Amino acid sequence: MDATLTFLGTGTSMGVPTLGCDCAVCASAVSSEGDPRNRRTRPSLRLSYNNRVVLVDTGPDFHAQAIRESIRHVDAVLYTHGHADHILGFDDLRPLSFRLKENLPLYADSETTETLRRIFNYTFSERERYSTAARVALHPLNEDIPGAGVDIFGACFRRIPVSHGPQTITGYRFGSAAYLTDMSDIPAESIPLLQDLDILILDALRRQPHPSHSHLERSLAFVEQLRPRRAFFTHISHDLDHAPTEAELPPHVRLAYDGLQLNFEIA
Ligand SMILES: [Zn+2]
Ligand SMILES: [Zn+2]
Ligand SMILES: [Zn+2]
């Protein structure tokens, strides 16, 4: 089945430009003479297939991203983890959820489910439910078996455990593509789940190592090890200037940018 993937955002948690920063990349991100690919909103994906729209994460820029990409309809959302840059756009699902016949299905691991329930308590609380809260239904992911899958509109989404500093969070494989945002390491159990990929999307924060994110050199080593047909780096900070950084990379490895679309086979 043909699918299209759109990068709604490709920035790190602080976004690019980073507030208060005057560096060349942050300046380029907002200048009319700059490189618009340096303007990086918080990381998220849209997948379109089978006449359905599935999102991976809803970060704090989701409202602006949805307007930019003319998202008028969402059928499901998968979450990677509960950090602010991945969940704070949750409330902007409200008007989209009202248009559906059933509650909007959300998929998340147990820790993320707990965080969503705590932060958006007025949505999930039976006693104090806010009347115009999002109409959603949380579906827990199987965390007992690495690579366990869930069928969403005819495509299988497998949970790929990844290390994000001290935490284990959720990466996803869907058909010939995998999305591993926010990761510092790939556990041995996840390596066999990432073979024969057309598209591998990986965290590559900056040049210097970071305790909870992979950096450029490390992400390149993962690409070498896993040998996808093409790789795209995301969750990028203001450390990486788009064009000069890409010029250093092998041709099958690119920096993702907001609005970039890729076609692939999802099932
Ligand atoms: Zn993040
Ligand atoms: Zn900067
Ligand atoms: Zn994170």
Side-chain angles (χ1 to χ4, degrees):
M1 185 169 25
D2 291 335
T4 304
L5 174 163
T6 309
F7 288 91
L8 297 180
T10 55
T12 186
S13 56
M14 294 182 197
V16 184
T18 300
L19 297 184
C21 183
D22 300 315
C23 80
V25 175
C26 286
S28 158
V30 287
S31 152
S32 54
E33 287 100 64
D35 186 340
R37 297 171 301 180
N38 282 331
R39 170 92 182 89
R40 301 175 181 128
T41 59
R42 266 60 70 89
S44 163
L45 285 190
R46 173 184 60 188
L47 303 170
S48 308
Y49 64 94
N50 201 7
N51 294 317
R52 302 287 191 161
V53 175
V54 174
L55 304 178
V56 184
D57 292 333
T58 51
D61 296 314
F62 175 58
H63 183 269
Q65 292 165 340
I67 292 167
R68 189 191 76 212
E69 298 295 338
S70 307
I71 296 177
R72 303 178 50 81
H73 185 91
V74 171
D75 296 292
V77 184
L78 297 116
Y79 286 96
T80 59
H81 66 306
H83 283 166
D85 53 326
H86 298 261
I87 64 165
L88 285 189
F90 173 87
D91 240 22
D92 290 317
L93 292 170
R94 292 187 303 145
L96 299 169
S97 74
F98 301 157
R99 299 163 60 96
L100 299 173
K101 286 194 197 81
E102 307 280 330
N103 286 340
L104 175 66
L106 312 176
Y107 299 85
D109 58 36
S110 55
E111 199 173 334
T112 309
T113 297
E114 223 172 274
T115 305
L116 288 170
R117 284 188 190 282
R118 191 176 71 245
I119 296 183
F120 303 102
N121 164 265
Y122 53 86
T123 302
F124 299 101
S125 161
E126 303 227 325
R127 265 187 317 120
E128 295 165 30
R129 191 177 178 281
Y130 188 62
S131 58
T132 54
R135 293 181 194 143
V136 294
L138 272 166
H139 299 276
L141 295 169
N142 179 336
E143 292 167 64
D144 299 330
I145 306 161
V150 55
D151 185 288
I152 305 175
F153 311 122
C156 180
F157 287 77
R158 296 188 185 284
R159 179 176 185 271
I160 312 293
V162 293
S163 306
H164 181 24
Q167 257 181 293
T168 298
I169 69 150
T170 296
Y172 291 101
R173 177 172 184 157
F174 30 94
S176 61
Y179 183 60
L180 312 180
T181 182
D182 294 57
M183 63 94 195
S184 42
D185 204 1
I186 303 174
E189 63 192 11
S190 295
I191 298 290
L193 306 169
L194 296 167
Q195 304 301 312
D196 305 315
L197 286 168
D198 173 18
I199 298 172
L200 172 63
I201 302 162
L202 275 183
D203 185 345
L205 182 72
R206 61 184 190 188
R207 286 183 195 279
Q208 297 303 315
H210 184 280
S212 42
H213 292 277
S214 183
H215 60 290
L216 202 59
E217 202 184 309
R218 188 166 173 73
S219 300
L220 277 168
F222 285 128
V223 173
E224 279 275 290
Q225 184 186 359
L226 297 170
R227 304 207 155 275
R229 199 163 74 78
R230 18 182 199 160
F232 295 86
F233 292 161
T234 190
H235 215 288
I236 307 165
S237 80
H238 60 167
D239 194 34
L240 303 182
D241 195 350
H242 190 93
T245 308
E246 268 204 334
E248 298 169 28
L249 300 173
H252 68 299
V253 183
R254 302 285 87 187
L255 293 187
Y257 55 87
D258 289 26
L260 172 65
Q261 291 201 342
L262 306 170
N263 296 318
F264 69 103
E265 279 285 310
I266 201 161

